[in-house]
Amino acid sequence: MADHERDWSSYRPSKTLWGWSLVGASALTMVLGFTWGGWTTSGRAGVMTDIAVRDARADLVASVCVHNFVTANDAADNLKSLRAKSSWERDDFIKEGGWATIAGIDETVASATDACADQLIKLKELPQATDPVVSDS
């Protein structure tokens, strides 16, 4: 055997070295886990959940708003008026029109009116109803 192989095979680290090696490996594992491994704290997970709930609620209300806007009697005129407004006035126009109002929700859903206005502005033309409306009466 070569001298360096004999030196490694006879090496016996102390308990202190073993202890510090475990501490270092644990710290390195945690750093890598939280930076690249996708680990997260419970506080951060709670914040991410709150953001996801808020965004999903705003998307739902915006979809209902678009539906309410499009199915209104004067939708074409309202769309022209909406497009004539500046970007910061559009959410007020949507609020005043009542299209983003949903029964059972008293407060305004944050960013829902902006998302509704953005979706309406992106429409090339208003969708036409092809099926007759069915009612329970």
Side-chain angles (χ1 to χ4, degrees):
M1 260 195 239
D3 286 338
H4 67 281
E5 288 179 14
R6 193 173 330 122
D7 289 341
W8 279 109
S9 64
S10 64
Y11 178 71
R12 301 286 181 243
S14 66
K15 290 179 184 178
T16 305
L17 183 61
W18 271 108
W20 283 113
S21 297
L22 288 173
V23 169
S26 298
L28 181 63
T29 300
M30 286 187 279
V31 167
L32 291 175
F34 281 108
T35 55
W36 292 308
W39 298 358
T40 186
T41 62
S42 63
R44 179 67 182 144
V47 169
M48 290 167 47
T49 301
D50 292 342
I51 290 170
V53 166
R54 185 186 65 223
D55 291 347
R57 190 175 189 194
D59 288 344
L60 176 64
V61 172
S63 296
V64 170
C65 172
V66 169
H67 177 268
N68 291 341
F69 187 95
V70 168
T71 57
N73 292 335
D74 52 352
D77 294 333
N78 288 334
L79 188 58
K80 288 178 187 176
S81 298
L82 180 67
R83 287 185 174 151
K85 303 269 184 204
S86 60
S87 61
W88 63 87
E89 294 174 322
R90 291 177 183 155
D91 61 338
D92 291 333
F93 182 74
I94 297 292
K95 284 179 192 174
E96 291 169 4
W99 298 293
T101 304
I102 296 179
I105 299 178
D106 295 333
E107 74 277 356
T108 304
V109 177
S111 73
T113 54
D114 288 331
C116 178
D118 289 342
Q119 290 177 21
L120 288 168
I121 292 297
K122 290 177 185 176
L123 289 177
K124 301 225 185 279
E125 61 183 38
L126 290 173
Q128 300 298 319
T130 57
D131 297 327
V133 177
V134 178
S135 64
D136 292 335
S137 53

